[in-house]
Amino acid sequence: MGRHSLPDGSPTEHTGARRGLRRRTVIISTGLVLAVAAGSVVALRSGLLPFGGPCDGQSARLDVAASPDIAPALEAVAKTAREDATRTDGRCLDVRITARAANDLADAFGQRPVSPDFQVWIPDSSLWVDRVEAERGTPLTAAGTIASSPIALGAVPEAATSMGWPKKTYTWTKLTRTATSGDELRLGLADPARSATGMLALARISAANAKDTKDSDEADTRTAATAKLLYQRVTDGDGRVLATLPRDNSATEQANPRRNQALLLSEQAAYTHNTKAGGGPDLDLFYPQDGTARLDFPYTLVDETELSPEQTRAANRFMTLLGENDGQRTLRRHGFRAANGEADPKVTAAAGGRDPQPYSADPADPPTVEELQALMGMWTVTVQNTRLTTVVDASPSMGTPVPGSGGRTRMDLTKNSLLQALATFTPEDEIGLWKFATFLDGDKDYVELSPTSRLGDRDTAGGTHRDTLTTAFSSLAPVLRGATGLYDTTLAAYQEACSTYASGKFNALVLVTDGANDDAGSLGLDALAEKLKKLSDPQRPVPLIALAIGPAADTAALERLVAPTGGSAHQVSDPSQIHQVILKAIMAAGGKKPR
């Protein structure tokens, strides 16, 4: 197959929002008012537009961090602005672009203080901005999107033909099932933990499973199974996934087990591959018929309150350039669609799209922050072996009925939810169970019901550890007399978790309680927090994940305890949601370090 033809640079302009898209809240700061429809007139009257004269004075510097896929297009626009002596505030606009992986900057911006190196951030997806906001990290102001690109499945010609391209269309579930069944077709994916493309594709697979099954547990099971298959061919990030394709059409390359015949990737990434000399066989694109995901490239101010008025106006000027005809043509020449998602037939054809593939259909609604967090937790649990010790409060208050649950108690809902969580782990994962109250084993407030070991291990009777643990979870019940021996239990369980640390696995201690420590003979909160700090080892991390059930739980104390371990505390109003909170907490713990 020959090279796909390039667009001629003269596609029609579209600026209106497309029907069917979920609107994203856009925050326009005072300094960005020039970006509205009257912006060009205001800029002209203010002397902000270029006059064509040489830059012989001081320039207005703007530093922009951008996703590596869009950075070359942004640099082209910035270079033209420098060559044309484009001005802002009467000074020449000097925009410097630095390519930075979005996940790396999201990790940095999720913490304080922010690096002052960049005034503008353009990641490949709003999900990174949402994540920083959810973590209450560096203040970010999303001023709109400058480009877009849908996510599709790209296949080399032989594989595409075997799948019926271009006439045969697929839903997400059928597409991934077809591309992951058997050994002949190998499907690659960028790691969803590092790639918006990978995460959004996984989100669409999850949504499709939920729609197909109408049963959340069955949908989660299917998504987890697909995630395991995808993980076998996952790469660290977007920059490496294209390198896994065959380098040429030779039989040796096509048969190489290390090469993928298909990838989940953006249309723009396929465009770059197909139009680059020596990039290997062209890709043909399948667009899911039940709605694709989309990268949306938000133009984002970094800590706007710290920007000077000159920096804010320079940021506005560059955004205006990107939205003008020349800027949009530059973005199209690099394979991007307009911000509203309008398909450009020439860009799509060069990327490998053909009728009747639904490349011009509206994308599906993007996932919520909560959905992405749960999905990321599922991915972490599914693809990385885990070692979890679960410690459950068995004090009398756990027998309190939960309103609206048909008479079921906190303990009833807790153990049912924990059993749901257990079902998501693999035979290689290690899970254990303790319970606590006061004086359950002599002077000890706790007792181990099942040791932390591989779920697939078999006992002398032939049963598995999963079977034993299921029985132990099912047997949980509040003790008739006793109190909440929280502090001594936490220390003992954390010491055990640290001493039995398993390298190469995600290690954590999960603590479930509905009360405050009321063991008068135990160590105090300050002493316990100090001991946990000494036990925590960044090289062997064991985050403490604390789940507070009901209004009497001491959330302030739990916050103190989890902090030195890199863990997190969560208020859980509905114990039946514990399994979902655990997945979310695991995801959060993976991005933290003890402090």
Side-chain angles (χ1 to χ4, degrees), residues 430-469:
E430 301 178 32
I431 311 292
L433 176 63
W434 293 26
K435 73 174 182 179
F436 72 97
T438 50
F439 305 108
L440 292 185
D441 183 13
D443 291 337
K444 294 180 180 179
D445 294 337
Y446 49 86
V447 62
E448 182 183 70
L449 298 181
S450 185
T452 305
S453 58
R454 284 181 68 256
L455 292 176
D457 285 349
R458 294 192 175 276
D459 56 27
T460 55
T464 65
H465 180 57
R466 186 190 297 275
D467 298 330
T468 302
L469 196 57

Side-chain angles (χ1 to χ4, degrees), residues 19 99 194:
R19 285 178 292 182
R194 298 170 177 266

Side-chain angles (χ1 to χ4, degrees), residues 243 245-249 253 256 259 278-281:
L245 291 168
R247 291 174 292 187
D248 53 51
N249 287 313
E253 276 292 289
N256 187 339
R259 299 294 179 190

Side-chain angles (χ1 to χ4, degrees), residues 13 34 43 47 73 76 90 151 154 188 202 204 235 257 269 279 295 301 389 402 407 434 436 452 505 580 583 588:
E13 299 294 328
L34 298 182
I151 295 169
L202 190 61
R204 288 306 306 144
T235 60
L295 302 179
L301 295 183
T389 300
V402 176
W434 293 26
F436 72 97
T452 305
K505 295 189 176 185
Q580 295 181 7
L583 292 179

Side-chain angles (χ1 to χ4, degrees), residues 172-173 176 199-213 215-216 218-224 226 367 371-372 374-375 378:
W172 273 102
T173 51
T176 52
M199 175 50 66
L200 290 171
L202 190 61
R204 288 306 306 144
I205 293 169
S206 176
N209 284 331
K211 182 178 180 180
D212 287 349
T213 64
D215 182 291
S216 59
E218 175 63 20
D220 289 344
T221 300
R222 290 189 183 185
T223 302
T226 302
E371 289 169 343
L372 288 173
L375 198 59
M378 182 278 296

